[in-house]
Amino acid sequence: MQNTSPQAVLQAYIDGSRDLDRAKLAGCFHPSAIMTGFLLDNAIVGTPELYLADIDRMVSRGVSNEGYEAHVEDLTVQGSVASATVVMSGLAGLNFNDFMHLVEEEGRWSIISKLFTTV
């Protein structure tokens, strides 16, 4: 996957979440990425591996993302850093706001941090 722009990374994240595609999602994250937030009332602190493991569980349980919708609500890019909000509904029946930070290294963009909450 060529993550040559923040928009491309965010679209791959949206598509990978919709398709429950672990490989596509893993390619969106920087190797040192962190992930924090709230899943319902539960605090989550860790790495994107927690989300990827959830994707695996959804696939093994036959979860359908029928009705899934997501879009980038806002995106700010300054040089080699970017900040974006992804609004997602219908992921395994839940709705999320994801606040993303992205970095560019050697021409490749990736998500370095994800802060999320269910809404």
Side-chain angles (χ1 to χ4, degrees):
M1 173 176 35
Q2 291 292 5
N3 293 336
T4 56
S5 72
Q7 296 90 339
V9 175
L10 295 168
Q11 190 60 54
Y13 172 81
I14 288 168
D15 295 346
S17 295
R18 178 196 62 223
D19 300 339
L20 303 177
D21 185 332
R22 179 191 177 95
K24 183 177 278 187
L25 286 166
C28 296
F29 290 97
H30 188 279
S32 298
I34 59 169
M35 185 180 81
T36 56
F38 278 86
L39 181 61
L40 302 173
D41 291 329
N42 300 312
I44 307 292
V45 177
T47 70
E49 181 55 38
L50 296 170
Y51 183 53
L52 300 175
D54 281 342
I55 294 295
D56 289 342
R57 279 190 287 281
M58 287 184 238
V59 168
S60 71
R61 293 179 182 155
V63 168
S64 167
N65 272 337
E66 190 172 330
Y68 170 91
E69 293 182 15
H71 66 277
V72 177
E73 188 161 280
D74 49 46
L75 171 63
T76 301
V77 181
Q78 288 193 326
S80 294
V81 299
S83 177
T85 302
V86 175
V87 176
M88 187 181 296
S89 63
L91 179 65
L94 296 173
N95 302 325
F96 293 88
N97 285 346
D98 295 336
F99 305 97
M100 306 291 206
H101 289 134
L102 300 93
V103 295
E104 180 191 27
E105 292 179 319
E106 300 176 1
R108 184 183 185 281
W109 284 89
S110 60
I111 299 166
I112 191 69
S113 69
K114 172 183 168 180
L115 174 67
F116 69 93
T117 189
T118 46
V119 291

